[in-house]
Amino acid sequence: MTITARMLATPSPESFTAIIDSREQLPFALEPLQSVRGTLQAGDYSVCGLDSEIAIERKSLSDLIACCGTERARFERELQKLLAYRTRAVVVEASWSDLSAGGWRSKLPPESATGSVLAWIGQGVPFLFCGSREAAQRATVRLLYLAARRRYRELRGLFAN
């Protein structure tokens, strides 16, 4: 296959292969990216060849509530790992309103949950509240693709000429 200059300038999403962590219980479908299962050092999703630069963590609302309470120590260790990645995010399958409304089984007050998330954002970990699983899936695909494309273009610029 001949690679054209256009292909080199703008790789398509199909050009990249996402890695889905083997421990991910309810993985996203990442089309149009290709995907493989593998073990990641941090996060649930990355891109082949860029797994030391890109890490995306997925959380349902119930997972996030547990991470603000009973699972906090473990989750904060995960967040510390994420800080080493150039592109990092926690993608949440709920809205900020869902988090701040409370009403979950846990005794954790909504103010504690929102305060925890704001503190983690303040430490440098972006949280994307997507509103639904479907929207979180789309955001994850787009973020993986944009980060991989940016890195590809940077490397292409280094080796041009």
Side-chain angles (χ1 to χ4, degrees), residues 44-80:
D44 297 313
Y45 301 95
S46 190
V47 175
C48 286
L50 298 173
D51 53 314
S52 63
E53 295 186 38
I54 302 170
I56 309 300
E57 178 76 23
R58 178 195 65 81
K59 290 291 173 205
S60 67
L61 182 59
S62 61
D63 289 340
L64 183 58
I65 298 309
C67 290
C68 293
T70 59
E71 300 279 322
R72 186 181 193 90
R74 180 199 57 77
F75 187 60
E76 286 190 336
R77 287 191 298 274
E78 288 301 311
L79 293 178
Q80 285 301 310

Side-chain angles (χ1 to χ4, degrees), residues 7 15 25 33 37 46 70 74 80 83 92 101 103 117 129 135:
M7 288 173 66
S15 304
Q25 303 267 332
L33 302 173
R37 295 285 268 189
S46 190
T70 59
R74 180 199 57 77
Q80 285 301 310
L83 287 171
V92 182
V117 171
F129 284 85

Side-chain angles (χ1 to χ4, degrees), residues 53-56 82 84-89 126 143-144 146-148 150:
E53 295 186 38
I54 302 170
I56 309 300
L82 284 180
Y85 290 76
R86 184 172 179 192
T87 299
R88 59 187 175 263
L143 182 56
L144 290 170
L146 291 172
R150 180 194 70 227

